[in-house]
Amino acid sequence: MKMRHVFGVALGLLIVLALSACGTAPTPTPKPTLPPPTFTPTPVPPTPTPVPPTPTPVPPTPTPVPPQATAKQQVNVRQGPSTQFAISGRIPAGTSVVVIGKSEDGKWFQIAFPDPANPAWVPGEFVTITGSIDKLPVVAVAPPPTPTRGAAAATKPPAATPTQAFPPPRGTLGFVAFDPGQNSYVLYNLNIEPRSYSESRLLGLQPFDVVNNTNMPPFAMAPNSPRAAFVFDVGNKVNKLRVTNIKGEDPVNVASHQGIISPTFSPDGSTLAYIGLDKAGVDYGMQFIYTVSANGGTPKRLFPSHPDDLQKRAGEVFRGVAWGKTHLLFVSNLTGHFEIWRLNSDGSGPMQLTNDKRENMSPAWHPDGKTYAYASKQADGTYQIMVANAFDGSAPRKLTSTAHNFSPTWSPDGNWIAFMSNRGGRMDIWVMDKNGGNVRLLTDKFDKQGFVPGGWR
């Protein structure tokens, strides 16, 4: 009963709750809608990114241009600043190299040749310097070692001994001697083997008129024909260059002006080179090397030929010229002493071959064109016959050591040298082999004097 009563009360409460949930809920009073608040932010300027100020342009410091040396001719370069140092290479004519130092006396320049890591030295007289050299460093170089007296000499290839066997000297040697009886110079032929003499011709249109004022022969023999060239003084300070046959027949006057000396034939005999004074007036009194046809024509002034050369070479003196297979040799005092120079046959490419600051003279080509002989004044005052490499003047060798010796002349086979010497008490013609051995007198039975040999054929 009680359970039924409890259940009924609970049922009634549930009904009341259900009805309450199903009834209409009171409508709430709507709240007014407000517009969103207007907010204008205070503008804050952005913090600028710092930009560095543009610098005022400053011109770049120019890189200093190093001075350069341009070779005036093909020149030897050495391991140090003197000719006592070994040759380390050669600079061709017209080549420019960078100068990186100088010697204490300023006469030599250290150059980046072949490269800065292996520099060499060149004498200033053979190069043209462009750029300032005032700030160049002075480079000290230890002198080359002096050979210790008694020390073993450097090993060299064995040289030919004076007793080396050669075919005997042969052929005919031309020479000039003064004949007091005829009061003139005479051209003679000396047959070497068997030895005999024959008078070829009296030289000169009048007594004493053949020009013989150097140690070069006053005549030249054509290499491939019986022709000879002579220089005569015809008066009024004018010399005449004349070509004849050996007997003096069929004369051709090929040149006529002042100061003609030292005629020499080209290898083919068609042209003569000689030394003469300018005749045009502009450079009057200056010596030049000329060429002219052996059949006559207008002489061509060969060397020096460039206006710059004329300024640099004012006062230069020539003492002989000789024409070889490919080049000319001549003697010049341009560098302060009489030295041997080489020149291309067209007058270009002058190259100094000797640089011993001695008096060198009378160069003569070996027939193969690879070496040359010449006379050179020694420290004791004597003149001796030397031979050297014709390419660069290297490896000079002294062949004589007694008395005074001049005017070397090669035999056609290149094994012998005729020369004049006073070793017997008068000036005679002697002969020796190409190594200085087998010396003997050739004119011991000849009663004339003043011999000048030339034209061995």
Side-chain angles (χ1 to χ4, degrees):
M1 186 64 182
K2 288 184 180 180
M3 285 295 294
R4 187 180 292 178
H5 177 70
V6 173
F7 178 80
V9 172
L11 182 58
L13 287 172
L14 288 172
I15 294 170
V16 171
L17 289 173
L19 291 174
S20 298
C22 295
T24 302
T27 303
T29 305
K31 296 181 179 179
T33 302
L34 297 176
T38 302
F39 177 74
T40 305
T42 303
V44 178
T47 303
T49 303
V51 178
T54 303
T56 302
V58 177
T61 303
T63 303
V65 177
Q68 292 192 337
T70 302
K72 300 176 183 177
Q73 61 188 60
Q74 179 172 280
V75 60
N76 293 331
V77 296
R78 297 182 178 268
Q79 296 176 1
S82 84
T83 55
Q84 302 302 314
F85 288 88
I87 295 173
S88 59
R90 296 176 184 86
I91 303 176
T95 301
S96 298
V97 292
V98 174
V99 181
I100 57 178
K102 60 185 177 182
S103 61
E104 186 175 1
D105 60 7
K107 295 182 179 179
W108 287 72
F109 295 99
Q110 190 180 46
I111 55 176
F113 183 85
D115 54 68
N118 299 281
W121 290 83
V122 65
E125 61 190 312
F126 296 119
V127 294
T128 300
I129 301 295
T130 54
S132 175
I133 60 174
D134 295 339
K135 296 182 179 180
L136 283 175
V138 174
V139 181
V141 178
T146 302
T148 303
R149 181 173 295 178
T155 302
K156 295 182 179 179
T161 65
T163 57
Q164 180 180 355
F166 291 102
R170 299 183 183 280
T172 301
L173 177 67
F175 68 93
V176 168
F178 181 72
D179 187 333
Q182 301 188 75
N183 199 29
S184 185
Y185 287 95
V186 177
L187 174 65
Y188 292 89
N189 289 323
L190 167 59
N191 189 56
I192 305 290
E193 188 70 32
R195 191 157 19 134
S196 62
Y197 308 95
S198 63
E199 179 178 324
S200 173
R201 59 164 300 190
L202 183 70
L203 295 182
L205 308 176
Q206 298 175 6
F208 293 105
D209 60 4
V210 66
V211 176
N212 184 24
N213 57 3
T214 73
N215 284 315
M216 298 293 286
F219 67 97
M221 308 298 293
N224 54 3
S225 68
R227 304 180 77 194
F230 304 90
V231 180
F232 299 103
D233 181 356
V234 297
N236 296 322
K237 299 181 180 181
V238 174
N239 290 353
K240 188 182 295 292
L241 179 59
R242 173 175 288 183
V243 174
T244 71
N245 63 18
I246 296 298
K247 295 181 180 180
E249 302 166 336
D250 304 321
V252 177
N253 294 324
V254 298
S256 178
H257 57 93
Q258 284 199 345
I260 298 178
I261 57 173
S262 186
T264 178
F265 278 95
S266 62
D268 64 2
S270 67
T271 308
L272 282 160
Y274 63 92
I275 295 169
L277 293 175
D278 173 76
K279 63 177 182 178
V282 177
D283 304 301
Y284 186 79
M286 184 174 177
Q287 283 185 309
F288 293 84
I289 296 174
Y290 290 83
T291 58
V292 65
S293 169
N295 295 319
T298 302
K300 176 183 177 182
R301 200 168 77 177
L302 187 70
F303 178 84
S305 58
H306 194 277
D308 290 344
D309 288 338
L310 302 187
Q311 296 175 9
K312 295 174 184 177
R313 295 178 178 272
E316 182 179 17
V317 175
F318 294 137
R319 281 188 179 178
V321 58
W323 206 330
K325 291 180 67 174
T326 58
H327 293 80
L328 294 161
L329 293 175
F330 67 98
V331 181
S332 167
N333 68 342
L334 178 66
T335 57
H337 297 82
F338 284 100
E339 306 281 4
I340 310 295
W341 291 65
R342 194 186 74 190
L343 189 69
N344 294 333
S345 295
D346 63 359
S348 64
M351 177 182 179
Q352 185 174 346
L353 296 182
T354 63
N355 191 26
D356 50 20
K357 296 177 173 58
R358 298 174 180 173
E359 185 181 4
N360 298 295
M361 63 185 70
S362 53
W365 283 102
H366 187 281
D368 67 6
K370 296 179 181 179
T371 59
Y372 66 98
Y374 61 104
S376 179
K377 189 175 184 178
Q378 306 297 300
D380 63 1
T382 63
Y383 291 84
Q384 305 300 333
I385 304 299
M386 310 280 291
V387 294
N389 187 330
F391 174 71
D392 58 4
S394 62
R397 292 187 297 120
K398 187 166 65 172
L399 299 186
T400 60
S401 58
T402 302
H404 294 292
N405 308 272
F406 305 96
S407 304
T409 300
W410 291 93
S411 63
D413 65 3
N415 287 324
W416 300 88
I417 299 175
F419 60 100
M420 61 180 186
S421 174
N422 67 347
R423 62 185 61 199
R426 71 168 193 171
M427 198 64 76
D428 274 295
I429 297 179
W430 297 68
V431 67
M432 62 182 170
D433 67 44
K434 64 180 181 181
N435 296 311
N438 296 304
V439 182
R440 62 188 175 102
L441 178 61
L442 293 181
T443 52
D444 52 331
K445 297 181 180 180
F446 202 74
D447 60 355
K448 307 298 187 295
Q449 59 183 342
F451 304 106
V452 184
W456 195 335
R457 59 200 187 280

